[in-house]
Amino acid sequence: NQIGKSTVGIVETLYRCLGTHPYLRTAAPPIHAYLVAHSWEQSKVLQGKLWELVPKAELHPSMEFKPGYGFRGTGAPVIRFRNNSILRIKTTQQARSGSTISLASATLDWILIDEPPPPYVFSELVARLLRKPGAAMGVTMTPIGAPVGYMRAMCEATPPKISDHGVPLTVENTTPIGCRPILTEEQISQVADSYLAFDRNQRLLGDWEGQRSDALIFDRF
């Protein structure tokens, strides 16, 4: 929590939509991408981050953004860039009771999922990438509140099927290159003390699991 996962995911998505990735060779624009949030309310927060970070001249002139509401459009928002890349906003709540019809049919170059999806949603989204060479998917998450065992098994398979990049909440990891730290040790310590003991390491270190249910739950009052 508070390491900047969602912001990094949005930046990665913009790099790919604009064809300006500084570290990876990605598909040349125009591309077709999904940004998948847990809910529509959460998607509004992510749309706000995207609006703050995107160079406005790179958006198609038809794009309108309303603070607190997101990009304007009928139904699910569609963000169009000047280079004709398309980013569609989706939610995992659209796929209820095991149905993934709302996520089906598309052939995509990139998918960003914010927070862990149910296994059937993960599988449906992976299927959207199979026809595009170099297509990829990223998941930004704290492993709490949703089943993540299937992703852990994929990470620990031999060879691994997906890669896990854990980023603990530390001063070093919250200091942009060439800048001052965003958080101090004291602030991080205060954040740590505010969490319950059983899920503290999940929230601070990205551990896959919390402590046992019979372990200490409250250790701060």
Side-chain angles (χ1 to χ4, degrees):
N1 289 131
Q2 300 303 309
I3 195 69
K5 304 179 302 299
S6 298
T7 298
V8 169
I10 293 294
V11 171
E12 177 76 13
T13 299
L14 288 174
Y15 281 157
R16 290 173 179 269
C17 288
L18 299 176
T20 58
H21 207 300
Y23 308 116
L24 300 174
R25 180 178 295 176
T26 61
I31 72 164
H32 189 186
Y34 276 2
L35 171 57
V36 184
H38 172 68
S39 64
W40 286 120
E41 285 302 312
Q42 183 196 21
S43 83
K44 293 175 184 177
V45 175
L46 298 176
Q47 290 178 64
K49 290 179 183 288
L50 191 150
W51 176 254
E52 291 174 2
L53 293 167
V54 65
K56 305 304 182 288
E58 299 293 345
L59 290 173
H60 191 273
S62 64
M63 291 293 93
E64 294 183 58
F65 178 83
K66 186 175 181 180
Y69 293 88
F71 286 87
R72 293 189 180 185
T74 303
V78 178
I79 301 168
R80 183 180 174 190
F81 295 85
R82 189 177 291 275
N83 64 10
N84 290 323
S85 287
I86 296 292
L87 175 62
R88 297 181 184 274
I89 308 298
K90 298 284 187 175
T91 75
T92 55
Q93 287 187 349
Q94 288 176 289
R96 298 185 180 213
S97 303
S99 172
T100 56
I101 190 170
S102 64
L103 303 174
S105 301
T107 299
L108 305 174
D109 298 277
W110 168 250
I111 300 171
L112 173 67
I113 309 173
D114 193 69
E115 298 306 337
Y120 60 87
V121 172
F122 184 94
S123 294
E124 181 61 49
L125 290 172
V126 168
R128 305 300 102 224
L129 304 171
L130 299 180
R131 293 175 58 187
K132 287 289 189 78
M137 181 165 73
V139 183
T140 54
M141 69 176 197
T142 300
I144 293 176
V148 295
Y150 72 97
M151 282 192 281
R152 181 178 185 177
M154 294 172 75
C155 288
E156 296 176 351
T158 305
K161 296 181 179 180
I162 59 176
S163 59
D164 171 30
H165 304 270
V167 187
L169 186 65
T170 64
V171 172
E172 180 183 6
N173 286 337
T174 54
T175 303
I177 295 173
C179 301
R180 295 179 179 178
I182 295 174
L183 295 175
T184 65
E185 287 283 6
E186 181 181 4
Q187 289 172 316
I188 291 174
S189 179
Q190 290 173 350
V191 170
D193 289 346
S194 71
Y195 294 143
L196 297 178
F198 79 95
D199 68 356
R200 184 174 293 130
N201 284 352
Q202 287 179 287
R203 296 187 182 279
L204 290 177
L205 307 178
D207 284 1
W208 284 107
E209 297 179 351
Q211 296 186 29
R212 304 185 314 275
S213 59
D214 60 344
L216 183 67
I217 294 179
F218 297 102
D219 65 349
R220 299 285 191 278
F221 282 94

